[in-house]
Structures are given as structure tokens and as C-alpha cells.
Amino acid sequence: MKILVTGKGGREHALLTALSESPDKHQLFAYPGSDAIATLATCVDVAGLPELIAWMKQNGIDLCMAGEEALLVKDRGLANLCAEAGIPCWGPLKEIAQLEASKAFAKKFLRRHGIPTADFTICTTAEEANAALTETPIVLKFDGLAAGKGVAVCSSKTEAMQFIEDVVMKRCFGAGDLLVEKCLTGPEISIFASVCDESYQILMPARDYKRIRDNDQGPNTGGMGAVASLELADAALMKRIEEEIVKPTVQGILTDGLTYRGFLYFGLMLTPGGPQVIEYNCRFGDPEAEAVLPMVRGDFATYVFEAAKGNLQPKLISFEPGWSICLISASAGYPASSRSGDVISGLDAVGGARVYHCGTKRNAAGQFETNGGRVLAVVAQGATRVEAREKAYAESAKVTFDGMQRRSDIGKMHFE
Ligand code: AMP
Ligand code: GLY
């Protein structure tokens, strides 16, 4: 089979690795891919989405898998264009990928289908937004692309009014509504499901560590590490998440006259009153994918291929018992900025862990160097959380580069 994955980061490196470890050998392609990904897939160099579709048709691609979300809502949508071209696509149509692209779309969907989520008001003007500030803390969310800076958890009214001024009056992120949302509390958990029309399979749960510094301090990032294990949530909690959140979401999509094929990511908060949806993403999480995918056994390639054609077969894969822990090394300045060009040393010394490249490139001498905010994911498994953690930290200590930032508390849990 010829399989193409879209994206270029650590998640895509992990997806392609899982495909390459499937029992049958497949020809793998990536768009755009990276120097590290080029060691297991052919990177396709085309100008844009229409050219990619034409290239996939000409080259007989059997399956397109969406790694990152961007192309799903670009132009007429990756999955929509694949459907027209007759290429099975694992990743949803543009119409329902709005669950990730538009926070207002997602919140209205959640409310319409009675799925637990924080109460909210969608505001167009500053007056409406200020009137909705009825309590503190309060959460404000810009309904549009904001490079990860569009959410503010405000502890005071002054802070909230400042965010409203920046977003609604000064339009710092451009045009778009503002959501004013009740602030929830509790640990967060990332739940993933493979959704295929009316069928779904819940995958191994994970948790990511969003803040740059230890003890969840400092600004939010794309994720500084992740933990994955079937033990993360007990059977009663998983049942509740399935009944109250996953099932009504899958049913809600159908009720709305839409269909979904792809990974669906539920960002949940486990509040004292039960699990609530913070956000949907229409793809696997990053860095959660780097932690979860090494735990997958079975035939991942056939699993995705069949599901993309409308035939989800849960038995084709299973998950290892135990724990998987992913540590991210980020470059100097991240997340405010990122530094490129720092040579990475020690990659060859890593033995007991997997290394996925999030943002690296090869220099003229053939060495890998930093090329982005998040640089590397070092991932290790163990029978216990402590074992996985010790292994991950011991292996990742072998890898260094100037200005490297790495948290020292990945794997620490709310229930410790
Ligand atoms: P989002 O982009 O919607 O996932 O929000 C980013 C982060 O902001 C989440 O991972 C939470 O940590 C936090 N957050 C978002 N919504 C809420 C909420 N209603 N209550 C408390 N924290 C929230
Ligand atoms: N780990 C958060 C995300 O993938 O959006």
C-alpha cells in the first residue's frame, strides 16, 4: 500500500513509525515531511493542496492520513478533495473539522447535543463581552486563529477587560467573536477516538503538560511532554466519558447530517461534577501521539486504511499494558520565540527510548540541528509509571543542544 501522511512534526514522525512497524511493508510518503521523516518516508515537494491531490492521484496513493489539522480546513478541505479524487482519507471533511477550527462552532455543537461543557456566551462587541463578565476567574477565548495565544484564563475583571480591549477593540488577532466561558477546575485528560461514521473506538488515554516550566508554571506551549496508559482513567471514568461525551458526540455529528472519519481528540477537564469538554481537535494530539503510538500493537496501517474506507475494525489493534512517557526538548526562547541552528548532540547514544523529531533539520555537515520551538520527543515505556519515567529521563539526558529547555516533572500526576 502507498500511504501519505500530512505534516512535519513529532506526531507525524510517530505516525509514520507506527505505519512502518505494521506487519506488511508499505511505501510511505509525507507532505511536507522533514529531514528526520525522510529516513522512513519519501517527502513530497509540491506547491500546495491542489498540487498535492494531483500528485496523490498520479502516484496511486491508497490512503491519505491527516497528521496536522491545517489542511483539513484549507481551501476546499483535504478530506473533501480526497473524496472527489477517490482517495480514502483518515481525517474529517471541512464541514465537521470546524469542531477544531471554530471554538464557537464547537461550543454550539456541545450545547445543541447536551454534552457537558462550561457555560458560555458568544460576544461580538466589547459591550457584550464586558456584560458577560459576571464572575472571576473567567475564561476568554478568541474564535479564530491566534497561534495558541487566543485563550486567557483571567483571575480578575481588570485582566479580562484588558483581553477584551486587545481582542475585540484593537483586533490583535484580526476579526472574530469572543467567547466568555465559565472557569472549570480539575485535572485535564486527553481522550482519543477513531471515529468512522456511526462507529468509534476509544484509544489509550493520555495527558499532556502544556506549560513551559515545572509544576505547570509559565506560559502555555504546544506541549512539553505526555503520559499515556490504560491506567490513566479507571473503568468507571472511561464508561462515563464514553456515555456522556464520546457517544453523544458521534451521534451529534450524524444528527447534524455530517459524517466523520478520523481521529477525534477530546480535551477534557475532570471537574468535581464530572468530565467536561474543553475542546475538540480533529486529529491526534501532539505530543500525546508520541506517547500513545509506541504502545500500539497489531496492524495499524490496515486499521487506518479500512477505517478510512468506512470499515472500522477495532480488533486490528491493541494497546500494551504499562506506561509510556514522552519528554519534549524545546529550543531557547520557546514559546515566545524559537531558536534554530543549535547542533544536537547525543542522538546516537539513545538506546532504550524512541526519538521523534518535532523541529530539526540536517546541516551541511549532515548533523541534526534545532529548527523550531519543540525540537525532539524522547519516549520510553515501562511496566510502571516510575520505570517509564526513569528510562525516559535517563535516555533524554544523553541528548543536548545549546539553550535546551526540558521539564523535569513529566509523569507527575494529579493523583500522586
Ligand atoms: P483551549 O484552547 O480551548 O483548549 O484552551 C487552552 C487551555 O486553557 C486548556 O487546556 C485549559 O487548560 C484552559 N481552559 C480552557 N477552557 C477553560 C475553562 N472553561 N476553564 C478552565 N480552564 C480552561
Ligand atoms: N497536546 C495538545 C494538542 O495536540 O493540541
Side-chain angles (χ1 to χ4, degrees):
M1 201 170 12
K2 288 183 171 180
I3 308 173
L4 182 137
V5 175
T6 65
K8 61 181 181 347
R11 168 184 46 211
E12 289 74 26
H13 198 183
L15 285 167
L16 284 155
T17 303
L19 291 169
S20 76
E21 292 173 358
S22 298
D24 298 323
K25 286 296 146 226
H26 302 287
Q27 268 182 280
L28 302 179
F29 300 87
Y31 171 76
S34 68
D35 289 343
I37 284 174
T39 59
L40 62 152
T42 304
C43 297
V44 177
D45 183 15
V46 291
L49 184 53
E51 292 83 1
L52 176 66
I53 301 292
W55 186 93
M56 287 197 285
K57 259 180 103 165
Q58 275 156 18
N59 289 275
I61 293 295
D62 299 295
L63 168 66
C64 174
M65 190 197 276
E68 57 182 30
E69 67 279 14
L71 291 180
L72 294 171
V73 290
K74 197 167 191 263
D75 302 335
R76 283 165 47 235
L78 174 70
N80 306 59
L81 292 170
C82 278
E84 284 172 21
I87 303 166
C89 179
W90 189 240
L93 297 167
K94 182 173 183 173
E95 293 75 11
I96 193 63
Q98 298 305 318
L99 281 178
E100 171 164 6
S102 164
K103 291 188 183 297
F105 180 96
K107 291 297 280 190
K108 287 191 261 183
F109 175 92
L110 287 158
R111 181 175 277 171
R112 182 164 67 247
H113 298 295
I115 301 165
T117 193
D119 267 347
F120 66 98
T121 315
I122 299 174
C123 307
T124 302
T125 65
E127 290 70 33
E128 285 168 6
N130 283 313
L133 301 181
T134 51
E135 60 182 43
T136 53
I138 195 133
V139 181
L140 304 182
K141 294 183 179 178
F142 172 65
D143 185 27
L145 295 178
K149 301 198 172 94
V151 176
V153 181
C154 303
S155 48
S156 71
K157 202 164 170 178
T158 318
E159 207 183 321
M161 287 169 79
Q162 183 63 54
F163 192 79
I164 292 170
E165 187 177 325
D166 292 345
V167 173
V168 184
M169 299 173 77
K170 295 187 183 155
R171 293 279 175 217
C172 65
F173 303 126
D177 287 343
L178 187 76
L179 274 74
V180 178
E181 209 175 287
K182 200 174 168 64
C183 188
L184 304 175
T185 53
E188 289 180 52
I189 187 166
S190 306
I191 297 293
F192 305 98
S194 296
V195 176
C196 175
D197 308 335
E198 69 291 341
S199 325
Y200 63 87
Q201 179 183 15
I202 298 176
L203 309 177
M204 173 177 273
R207 180 209 152 167
D208 80 344
Y209 295 73
K210 291 202 170 80
R211 306 292 185 114
I212 186 77
R213 285 194 288 280
D214 284 4
N215 297 314
D216 297 328
Q217 300 297 306
N220 261 327
T221 71
M224 291 299 291
V227 172
S229 173
L230 293 173
E231 294 172 47
L232 261 187
D234 63 23
L237 177 59
M238 286 310 287
K239 185 86 197 138
R240 197 160 175 194
I241 289 171
E242 176 168 7
E243 292 301 325
E244 295 176 17
I245 291 168
V246 178
K247 216 183 257 182
T249 298
V250 173
Q251 189 52 52
I253 294 169
L254 297 173
T255 304
D256 288 351
L258 297 168
T259 53
Y260 192 110
R261 285 187 195 168
F263 295 120
L264 180 55
Y265 167 147
F266 304 76
L268 306 184
M269 197 169 266
L270 304 177
T271 75
Q276 303 227 13
V277 177
I278 294 282
E279 64 165 348
Y280 288 114
N281 291 309
C282 295
R283 49 168 175 80
F284 223 110
D286 191 349
E288 292 97 324
E290 291 95 309
V292 171
L293 289 164
M295 303 289 267
V296 174
R297 297 291 170 270
D299 191 344
F300 184 63
T302 305
Y303 172 80
V304 175
F305 180 56
E306 288 299 324
K309 291 189 298 172
N311 182 21
L312 182 70
Q313 296 181 51
K315 290 206 173 73
L316 284 174
I317 60 165
S318 62
F319 293 94
E320 279 280 286
W323 293 76
S324 180
I325 295 195
C326 163
L327 308 180
I328 296 288
S329 308
S331 70
Y334 183 71
S337 61
S338 67
R339 199 165 80 191
S340 292
D342 292 306
V343 173
I344 303 165
S345 66
L347 283 170
D348 291 339
V350 178
R354 291 164 181 269
V355 182
Y356 299 120
H357 291 235
C358 310
T360 71
K361 66 173 187 304
R362 274 193 209 274
N363 62 20
Q367 302 158 301
F368 277 110
E369 57 182 40
T370 62
N371 187 35
R374 288 187 293 173
V375 177
L376 292 169
V378 175
V379 191
Q381 288 75 46
T384 64
R385 187 159 46 96
V386 171
E387 191 188 319
R389 214 182 114 102
E390 281 172 2
K391 228 156 105 187
Y393 273 102
E395 292 298 328
S396 89
K398 297 173 183 170
V399 182
T400 54
F401 52 85
D402 270 358
M404 185 185 73
Q405 306 187 72
R406 187 186 291 141
R407 277 180 61 160
S408 69
D409 65 342
I410 304 299
K412 194 167 167 213
M413 301 301 298
H414 60 278
F415 48 71
E416 273 184 85

